Amino acid sequence: MSPSSDTQSASFWFLTGMRGITSLPAIILMTSFVGFSAFAFESGISRGEAIFMTISIWALPAKMILVGMMASSAHIAACFVAVTLSSIRMMPMVASLVPEMRTERTPTWLLLLLSHFVAITAWVFATQRLRDVPREHRATFFAGFGITLTLTNTLIVAVCYGVVEAFPPVVSGALFMLTPVYFLASIWATARQAVVRLAFVIGVASGPLLALVSPGFDVLYAGIGGGTLAYVIDRFWIRGRKRAVQAEKLHGR
């Protein structure tokens, strides 16, 4: 951050956030939304419904769940519960970002509005960039990125909905598969603690086995089980060894 960064106006930081649309995370997400357009089209979802989902639900996995359940004629209550449970995973992301953006003069309504734009891409982007933005302009910076990213992907869905019909199925599938690949890489890159990476490895490794043992609940079991096992290993083995090494050093003195 340059010495003159604190003197820049709010509009400067909003535009700086908007320029994040050219970052690699944003580009990969935009490409994935082309795949979502194909999935919505093949599932019988109208263009208007796909556009409304993009701007209102926003998180791509939640939209995929909703489209899949709508295609299977699930009850609206079941769709609501499924999307809600999927979106609960955003709460820790919101909880970690809001303190970084909040100041004494930041209105609560603004933070609530900005929380709508928090998903894995925005979270990764903000986690990497907010430290270089003056605290009083962080909400403005994130608003520039989040609003631009959401509106751009809404436009992509509107434009690509009728175009993807001409895509070969393998192309549409490849475009959509960029999303989970990016999610995995982003989570690994932003993990600051060894226990997080350990939980990640356990979850990914156990996922295929659990998919065979308990299909439909494999992601839930892999997530909860991987996180719990990683905590136990870190708490009682890794930290225990560190304490033992420290104790030996103290006795050696």
Side-chain angles (χ1 to χ4, degrees), residues 115-176:
S115 67
H116 172 70
F117 304 105
V118 177
I120 184 65
T121 300
W123 182 78
V124 170
F125 179 85
T127 301
Q128 295 174 342
R129 308 292 180 88
L130 280 183
R131 65 173 69 94
D132 297 324
V133 180
R135 177 171 287 274
E136 63 271 19
H137 295 304
R138 289 179 179 178
T140 303
F141 173 81
F142 183 77
F145 177 73
I147 293 173
T148 303
L149 186 64
T150 302
L151 294 181
T152 300
N153 282 298
T154 302
L155 179 62
I156 287 174
V157 171
V159 172
C160 293
Y161 180 85
V163 177
V164 294
E165 183 180 9
F167 286 4
V170 66
V171 174
S172 301
L175 289 172
F176 181 72

Side-chain angles (χ1 to χ4, degrees), residues 65-211:
I65 292 173
L66 179 58
V67 171
M69 296 190 71
M70 290 175 65
S72 63
S73 302
H75 193 276
I76 187 172
C79 295
F80 174 81
V81 171
V83 173
T84 300
L85 292 176
S86 170
S87 300
I88 287 177
R89 64 194 172 86
M90 305 296 179
M91 292 180 62
M93 300 181 191
V94 174
S96 65
L97 279 184
V98 167
E100 296 297 323
M101 296 189 292
R102 182 173 52 199
T103 66
E104 295 180 355
R105 295 181 296 176
T106 306
T108 302
W109 66 264
L110 177 60
L111 295 173
L112 292 174
L113 175 64
L114 294 180
S115 67
H116 172 70
F117 304 105
V118 177
I120 184 65
T121 300
W123 182 78
V124 170
F125 179 85
T127 301
Q128 295 174 342
R129 308 292 180 88
L130 280 183
R131 65 173 69 94
D132 297 324
V133 180
R135 177 171 287 274
E136 63 271 19
H137 295 304
R138 289 179 179 178
T140 303
F141 173 81
F142 183 77
F145 177 73
I147 293 173
T148 303
L149 186 64
T150 302
L151 294 181
T152 300
N153 282 298
T154 302
L155 179 62
I156 287 174
V157 171
V159 172
C160 293
Y161 180 85
V163 177
V164 294
E165 183 180 9
F167 286 4
V170 66
V171 174
S172 301
L175 289 172
F176 181 72
M177 279 303 296
L178 283 174
T179 301
V181 171
Y182 167 66
F183 284 178
L184 293 176
S186 299
I187 293 172
W188 181 266
T190 55
R192 293 190 174 92
Q193 297 175 329
V195 65
V196 177
R197 295 193 174 189
L198 180 60
F200 177 86
V201 171
I202 295 173
V204 171
S206 61
L209 176 61
L210 291 172

